[in-house]
Every structure is written in structure tokens, then in C-alpha cells.
């Protein structure tokens, strides 16, 4: 097996690990369900900040942080992205622990289609016909739920839009994922510390009064944040981004299965209709991506043959 083949094989392993971890993350949040969502978010930020800092020091990457902090414009844009990410994390935790996991799953199914729409609207990316149809189907699916069944999937829409806009902002920032995560947690850290030690009034807010098992679970919030990101980063370094995109459906699929099979969330008719239409849209979107990849490969082969003929 060639070095490229081994590298790609490792990339697939890391991609599967990252998206599987994200897909089963609700199990962790259910284990700490007795803790308020904002308090869980606080622990997630605090412990992720410490763990990623240790990682950055171990990897000798502190020199990458200083140039970012020197740019006021860069810090402001990163702060905006961080606020969106923090809101997304809080809403996801709240959704899981208030039995809205199906809505969270729907949101992350919608997210890839929303990314395409944002690419067209803000980055002048050309949208192919099948992509347009897929996005139109997603809009129809949500509209049917709103008009026919009178329910707005606001959790799904808020999760999808906040993460898509966050991704669009981060796409234009010259900050690697590990350094970015540490800076994002650093920006949110003061707010989380002030809340946890100054305003939190729940029974679990006093760590000295908690059983060690609960404190251990709260510390693990940092691992829940950092482990899948490290796997994703390793996968992104080894696989083409287009290839990596096909793994993104693992997480919402696992959330869907957990919600229905394990936690018994009711799959109402309105949600089922929307899910079926979104699944169909994603199938069309994936088909279009496969066709485009095949065309790109053929074009590269023709170009390589033409250049070989010239020489």
C-alpha cells in the first residue's frame, strides 16, 4: 500500500471517529442532565480552555497565537464568530436535555445545504442546478411544517444558521483549528467564570459539595469538546475536503437514532415529513457532488494528457 493510500486510510479512520463522537455526544449531556445548560456550557469552556492550552504548549504552537492577538480586526471577527459558536453550543445542550434532540438532528442535516446557500450569497460561489433544487427542497420541507402543521422548527433553524454563519466567518480567518478553539474558549472564559462562581445558584454549582463522579463528568466536558476536533483536524489534513463532507451525515444520523430508539422522543408527523424531504435533498446534493468529482477527475486527466503531449 502506497504512502498516500495509508494516509487516506488514516484520514477515513479519523473522520469516522470525529463524526461518530459528535453523533453520540448527546449521551454525555444526558448524563449531566441535572446540571443547568448554561452551567454545563461553562464547564465545557473552562476545561476545554485548559486542555487545549496544554496541547498548544506541548505542540510548541504558542508562536501562532501572538500574531492573531496583535490584529484588532482579526480579534473582533473572531469574537463575533465565538459568540455564534457559544450560542450554538448552549442551544445544543439545552435541546438535548429538554428532549429536542430530533430538532438538533434536523438542524445539522440542514447545515450543509445552508453552507452552500451562504457560499453563493456571500462568497460568489457558483451553484449548480442540482444544488439549487436541493436547497429549494429544504425550504419546501421547512415551509410544509410551518404552513401545514403550524410548527416552526426554530431549534433546528437556529442551530443550522448559527453554525453555518460561524463557519462562514471562520473560513475567512487565517487561524488554524486548534489555535482558533483555544482563542474562542479564551474569549468566552471570563463570562463563564463570572457566571459559574458569581451567579450560578444550582445544587451542582458548588464543586466542593458535588460527588466526585459528577465533578469528573463536568471536567470531561473539555474532552467532549477537544477530542472530536482533534480527530477532525487530523482527517482534514489527510483527506480532500469534498471527501470529508460525506462523513458529516454520520453525526445527525446517530442523533436521530438516539432520540427515537434510546430516549423515546416522539417522531411527530410534521417532523417526519420534514425529515424525509431534507433526506431527499441531501441525497440529491450528495449525488451532485459525486458527479462533479468525477467530472473534475476526467478534466484533470485530459489536462495531464494534453501537457504530456506538449512535452
Amino acid at each position: 500500500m502506497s504512502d498516500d493510500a495509508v494516509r487516506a486510510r488514516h484520514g477515513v479512520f479519523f473522520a469516522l471517529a470525529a463524526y461518530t463522537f459528535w453523533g453520540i455526544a448527546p449521551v454525555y449531556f444526558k448524563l449531566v442532565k441535572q446540571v443547568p445548560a448554561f452551567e454545563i456550557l461553562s464547564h465545557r469552556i473552562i476545561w476545554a480552555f485548559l486542555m487545549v492550552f496544554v496541547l498548544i504548549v506541548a505542540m510548541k504552537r504558542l508562536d501562532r497565537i501572538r500574531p492573531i492577538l496583535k490584529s484588532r480586526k482579526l480579534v473582533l471577527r473572531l469574537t463575533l464568530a465565538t459568540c455564534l459558536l457559544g450560542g450554538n453550543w448552549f442551544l445544543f445542550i439545552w435541546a438535548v436535555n429538554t428532549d429536542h434532540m430530533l430538532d438538533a438532528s434536523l438542524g445539522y442535516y440542514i447545515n450543509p445545504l445552508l453552507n452552500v446557500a451562504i457560499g453563493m450569497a456571500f462568497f460568489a460561489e457558483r451553484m449548480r442546478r442540482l444544488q439549487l433544487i436541493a436547497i429549494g427542497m429544504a425550504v419546501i420541507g421547512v415551509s410544509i411544517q410551518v404552513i401545514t402543521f403550524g410548527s416552526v422548527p426554530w431549534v433546528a433553524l437556529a442551530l443550522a444558521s448559527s453554525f453555518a454563519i460561524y463557519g462562514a466567518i471562520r473560513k475567512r480567518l487565517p487561524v488554524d483549528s486548534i489555535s482558533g478553539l483555544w482563542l474562542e474558549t479564551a474569549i468566552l472564559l471570563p463570562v463563564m467564570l463570572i457566571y459559574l462562581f458569581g451567579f450560578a445558584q444550582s445544587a451542582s454549582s458548588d464543586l466542593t459539595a458535588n460527588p466526585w463522579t459528577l465533578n469528573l463528568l463536568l471536567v470531561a466536558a473539555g474532552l467532549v469538546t477537544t477530542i472530536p476536533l482533534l480527530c477532525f483536524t487530523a482527517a482534514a489534513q489527510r483527506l480532500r475536503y469534498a471527501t470529508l463532507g460525506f462523513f458529516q451525515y454520520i453525526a445527525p444520523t446517530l442523533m436521530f437514532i438516539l432520540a427515537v430508539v434510546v430516549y423515546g422522543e416522539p417522531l411527530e408527523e410534521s417532523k417526519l415529513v420534514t425529515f424525509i424531504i431534507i433526506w431527499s435533498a441531501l441525497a440529491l446534493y450528495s449525488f451532485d457532488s459525486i458527479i462533479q468529482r468525477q467530472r473534475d477527475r476526467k478534466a484533470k486527466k485530459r489536462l495531464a494528457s494534453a501537457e504530456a503531449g506538449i512535452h
Side-chain angles (χ1 to χ4, degrees):
M1 188 177 291
S2 67
D3 289 343
D4 286 344
V6 172
R7 186 175 175 81
R9 188 175 180 179
H10 290 165
V12 169
F13 168 78
F14 284 120
L16 287 171
Y19 284 106
T20 299
F21 205 103
W22 277 322
I24 62 174
V27 175
Y28 164 78
F29 293 116
K30 288 287 190 182
L31 289 174
V32 290
K33 187 176 181 179
Q34 71 272 33
V35 180
F38 203 84
E39 198 172 311
I40 297 173
L41 177 65
S42 300
H43 283 284
R44 186 174 188 180
I45 299 298
I46 293 166
W47 299 112
F49 169 84
L50 293 172
M51 290 175 185
V52 178
F53 180 73
V54 171
L55 185 65
I56 288 175
V57 171
M59 297 173 70
K60 298 180 179 179
R61 288 191 177 185
L62 277 175
D63 58 319
R64 299 187 182 187
I65 305 295
R66 295 188 188 96
I68 301 168
L69 296 178
K70 289 179 180 178
S71 172
R72 183 179 177 183
K73 185 178 179 181
L74 204 57
V75 170
L76 286 173
R77 290 164 64 191
L78 187 61
T79 300
L80 175 60
T82 300
C83 291
L84 288 166
L85 181 64
N88 181 275
W89 282 357
F90 169 75
L91 183 57
F92 179 76
I93 296 168
W94 176 87
V96 169
N97 286 349
T98 54
D99 299 325
H100 287 85
M101 201 188 304
L102 279 173
D103 292 312
S105 172
L106 180 61
Y108 289 112
Y109 274 126
I110 293 173
N111 182 251
L113 300 174
L114 198 53
N115 286 339
V116 175
I118 287 175
M120 180 190 69
F122 297 100
F123 300 118
E125 295 178 359
R126 294 184 62 185
M127 192 176 297
R128 297 183 294 273
R129 183 181 300 175
L130 290 181
Q131 288 180 323
L132 275 171
I133 295 172
I135 292 172
M137 290 173 65
V139 173
I140 291 170
V142 173
S143 299
I144 288 175
Q145 182 169 339
V146 174
I147 297 169
T148 307
F149 299 98
S151 61
V152 179
W154 68 270
V155 173
L157 294 175
L159 283 172
S161 58
S162 60
F163 198 71
I165 298 170
Y166 162 78
I169 296 173
R170 284 288 274 113
K171 182 179 181 180
R172 290 296 182 91
L173 295 180
V175 183
D176 66 273
S177 57
I178 295 175
S179 301
L181 176 63
W182 186 74
L183 287 169
E184 286 161 353
T185 56
I187 290 168
L188 293 172
L189 184 66
V191 176
M192 298 299 117
L193 288 173
I194 291 170
Y195 166 76
L196 189 60
F197 296 107
F199 294 95
Q201 298 294 327
S202 72
S204 57
S205 60
D206 183 1
L207 299 181
T208 60
N210 290 340
W212 68 268
T213 49
L214 178 58
N215 284 339
L216 194 62
L217 281 172
L218 293 173
V219 172
L223 294 174
V224 171
T225 302
T226 55
I227 289 176
L229 177 71
L230 292 175
C231 290
F232 176 81
T233 301
Q237 292 170 347
R238 292 165 173 80
L239 297 174
R240 293 178 61 214
Y241 203 72
T243 303
L244 192 60
F246 286 104
F247 290 92
Q248 66 189 323
Y249 307 127
I250 293 174
T253 300
L254 289 174
M255 289 180 206
F256 181 89
I257 294 170
L258 282 171
V260 176
V261 178
V262 178
Y263 297 109
E265 284 192 24
L267 185 56
E268 300 163 356
E269 185 181 356
S270 60
K271 289 181 181 178
L272 181 59
V273 170
T274 305
F275 267 111
I276 290 172
I277 295 174
I278 297 296
W279 288 334
S280 302
L282 288 172
L284 188 63
Y285 169 77
S286 301
F287 174 74
D288 174 77
S289 298
I290 293 170
I291 296 299
Q292 187 60 38
R293 283 183 62 188
Q294 291 175 345
R295 289 173 180 170
D296 291 342
R297 285 178 182 174
K298 289 179 181 178
K300 286 181 181 179
K301 286 181 180 179
R302 286 196 297 268
L303 182 60
S305 299
E307 290 177 348
I310 292 172
H311 297 293

